[in-house]
Amino acid sequence: MEQLKLLTPGPLTTTHTVKETMILDRCTWDDDYKNLTQSIRQRLLEIAKVNAENYTTILQQGSGSFVVESVIQTAISSTDHVLIISNGAYGKRMIDMAYVAGKKITELNISFDVIPSLAKIQQVLEENPTITHIAFVHCETTTGILNPIESICTLAKKFNKKIIVDAMSSFGGVPIEVEKLQIDFLVSSANKCIQGVPGFGFVIAKKESLEKTKGNARSVSLDLYDQWIVMKDSGKWRFTSPTHVVAAFHQAILELENEGGVEARYERYLTNNQYIIQSMQQLGFKPYIDDEYQSPIITTFLYPDTNFEFDDFYQYMKKNNFVLYPGKLMDVPSFRVGNIGDLYRQDFEVMIQHIKNFNAQRSIK
């Protein structure tokens, strides 16, 4: 079976060496495995550019959404008040999580094709002095928009608010100086820009903030504080951990380091993304997001005309080894092209040629 090229924001195309680490079975109680966990935790702090005296890493079983929900459950107490900024489906998911968890929230919902207005955020903060936390998504893969993390964090700290960032699709692929930005909780996942496989996520947390969260969670398995208490000294997970996935992620981190770190990977993602956008525009596919807000991770393209059939396009590309991502916009027909993972310029040149061939077949019909 030939390996497909996944043009998605995760799960994504991984290297053979990452896959190979999953051949071996590992014991969760074994010291070698616990040391592997501790190595991952330390390396993530280095990627985040934080001091281990001030920050810690917690690994959590489940998908990225599980880990976001563990932060919503744990970081926000019954007396806290969180402002959640949403310009996509994943911001809305955070809002849903907060409501289900019984948290006090204020929503700031904006159009999916623009970044949040700092003036509007400031207005909301001034009108709601009880707000204690600000939560937002850095890269909204709903559209591919990249929200202004530096500006929002600066404003949050000006008003002395704690910061929760869903950096699911940006951490490891876009430089983020977590300590400089004074982020309290940053969430990401194994199967995103670090290029591992699905099965767990992680939180880079400011110790001072995390230490105050004991008893906040109304969930046993999603209690981030309890997960940290068990893990922090021994590397032991509270419940059965995805051992194969953990080993693959460790290998993926080593490969990130060998590539030159986050900056080098960001440059690869960025140049590939720019090539895709330029080439797709020449073929009649218009991006949904303006260049100034576009992330280097994934791009939403509008259908070129009313006769365009995405299912036909999808199946054609899949037969040629490329898997596209359906659109997530409700108001306009679209699809998405992701460019993270073990993919390079030559892969996208082949992809563009297949799209040209598809267009040629359409014109004949």
Side-chain angles (χ1 to χ4, degrees), residues 300-323:
T300 293
F301 291 100
L302 305 179
Y303 287 7
D305 53 64
T306 55
N307 295 322
F308 181 80
E309 293 288 343
F310 176 74
D311 287 345
D312 292 345
F313 183 43
Y314 180 90
Q315 293 301 331
Y316 179 88
M317 294 301 291
K318 185 177 179 181
K319 286 179 183 177
N320 288 283
N321 267 4
F322 289 90
V323 176

Side-chain angles (χ1 to χ4, degrees), residues 2-187:
E2 192 166 357
Q3 173 63 57
L4 296 170
K5 304 287 186 180
L6 303 184
L7 306 180
T8 67
L12 39 65
T13 305
T14 56
T15 65
H16 288 294
T17 42
V18 164
K19 296 179 182 72
E20 286 170 353
T21 60
M22 294 187 286
I23 294 174
L24 299 178
D25 300 318
R26 293 168 174 84
C27 173
T28 58
W29 285 91
D30 185 75
D31 285 343
D32 287 343
Y33 179 72
K34 288 188 284 187
N35 290 337
L36 193 68
T37 295
Q38 296 294 58
S39 176
I40 289 172
R41 294 180 65 227
Q42 176 57 39
R43 282 182 153 88
L44 286 172
L45 293 179
E46 294 167 5
I47 293 170
K49 298 184 184 298
V50 297
N51 188 320
E53 292 183 4
N54 302 323
Y55 280 82
T56 188
T57 310
I58 312 98
L59 312 184
Q60 179 76 291
Q61 297 94 326
S63 70
S65 291
F66 281 52
V67 188
V68 171
E69 191 157 12
S70 76
V71 172
I72 297 294
Q73 281 275 354
T74 307
I76 304 164
S77 75
S78 59
T79 59
D80 287 331
H81 179 183
V82 59
L83 166 63
I84 302 181
I85 304 166
S86 171
N87 59 345
Y90 298 97
K92 289 187 176 296
R93 187 175 296 176
M94 291 175 76
I95 291 171
D96 291 342
M97 291 171 177
Y99 277 125
V100 169
K103 308 300 182 181
K104 182 179 180 182
I105 78 169
T106 292
E107 303 177 34
L108 178 55
N109 294 295
I110 59 177
S111 174
F112 283 14
D113 60 345
V114 296
I115 61 172
S117 160
L118 295 179
K120 181 61 179 177
I121 297 172
Q122 180 164 332
Q123 179 186 346
V124 173
L125 293 175
E126 290 172 344
E127 292 174 351
N128 297 270
T130 62
I131 288 174
T132 54
H133 295 66
I134 296 178
F136 65 96
V137 178
H138 185 203
C139 176
E140 258 289 359
T141 52
T142 305
T143 60
I145 201 166
L146 192 68
N147 288 319
I149 188 171
E150 293 87 358
S151 301
I152 297 175
C153 288
T154 298
L155 182 62
K157 284 309 168 183
K158 176 183 176 182
F159 281 82
N160 197 30
K161 310 302 180 185
K162 288 185 169 58
I163 304 167
I164 298 171
V165 180
D166 175 343
M168 203 65 59
S169 297
S170 57
F171 185 81
V174 177
I176 305 172
E177 296 189 61
V178 173
E179 188 157 15
K180 182 178 178 182
L181 296 175
Q182 287 295 291
I183 295 170
D184 295 273
F185 299 91
L186 179 140
V187 193

